[in-house]
Amino acid sequence: MATELHISRRNMLAGSAATAAVAAVPPAEAQLQPKPQVAPTTMPLSIKVNGKRHELQVDTRTTLLDALRENIRLTGTKKGCDHGQCGACTVIVDGVRINSCLSLAVMHQGDEVITIEGLGSPDDLHPMQAAFIKHDGYQCGYCTPGQICSAVAVLEEMKAGVPSHVTRDLTSGIQASNMEMRERMSGNICRCGAYSNIAEAMAEVAEAQA
Ligand code: FES
Ligand code: FES
């Protein structure tokens, strides 16, 4: 009899854990109940895009990329990875290039955004757009809006003396070398591999500006 009543400490702990696990599983009906809907929080957003002011009411979770594409209907800016890894969504905000997929729209209250549509038009191309065409700086074109916005901002960064990891001499101005271009454009991925042509296009614009 004594052996039948013997419960080891190990068996006791295992039994308790199993009971707790079963108790933690909600009954099947509870799992089927619809979850209560939480209304999205929205905020007013006043933002200038390509010189035009937009007054929007946006869900606070909306990225700048989605606000541009879905709310303002400027679909030139592309969504590649939506995780800050490809650069397809690059736009220029107050003169600085950013990945618009990594930035919430409501963080840009009053900001001025330039997208590919604001740089130039088919009848009046921005010099960088013209150089991309001349040097075949694209194939499928999906990364191109981000590449061009980035390239335009890169030339401004160099003019402003902003160093990169490969800048060797900060005292005599930053040279628009091929290595500088490639380093600064390394956040813009091109799956078609148009990198050499993009660097050539940028070099031509940099030379013309100089
Ligand atoms: Fe923004 Fe890829 S879509 S970095
Ligand atoms: Fe196709 Fe760059 S041109 S991904």
Side-chain angles (χ1 to χ4, degrees), residues 197-209:
N197 304 28
I198 290 169
E200 281 172 19
M202 291 176 69
E204 180 175 297
V205 178
E207 199 178 314
Q209 289 181 353

Side-chain angles (χ1 to χ4, degrees), residues 15-86:
S16 305
T19 308
V22 169
V25 175
E29 316 86 69
Q31 290 184 44
L32 293 174
Q33 292 298 318
K35 296 210 167 58
Q37 295 290 310
V38 179
T41 307
T42 64
M43 267 183 71
L45 170 66
S46 178
I47 191 168
K48 203 184 228 185
V49 182
N50 302 331
K52 185 176 170 198
R53 176 138 322 265
H54 295 266
E55 307 293 342
L56 308 170
Q57 188 73 25
V58 293
D59 187 318
T60 50
R61 299 164 295 181
T62 307
T63 62
L64 177 60
L65 172 61
D66 285 339
L68 291 170
R69 290 180 57 86
E70 308 298 333
N71 297 69
I72 303 177
R73 299 286 177 195
L74 288 173
T75 54
T77 307
K78 301 299 182 224
K79 184 180 282 191
C81 62
D82 212 16
H83 282 89
Q85 293 173 351
C86 72

Side-chain angles (χ1 to χ4, degrees), residues 137-144 147 189-194:
Y138 56 89
Q139 288 180 39
C140 76
Y142 197 80
C143 72
T144 311
Q147 299 276 6
I189 307 300
C190 175
R191 284 169 181 80
C192 300

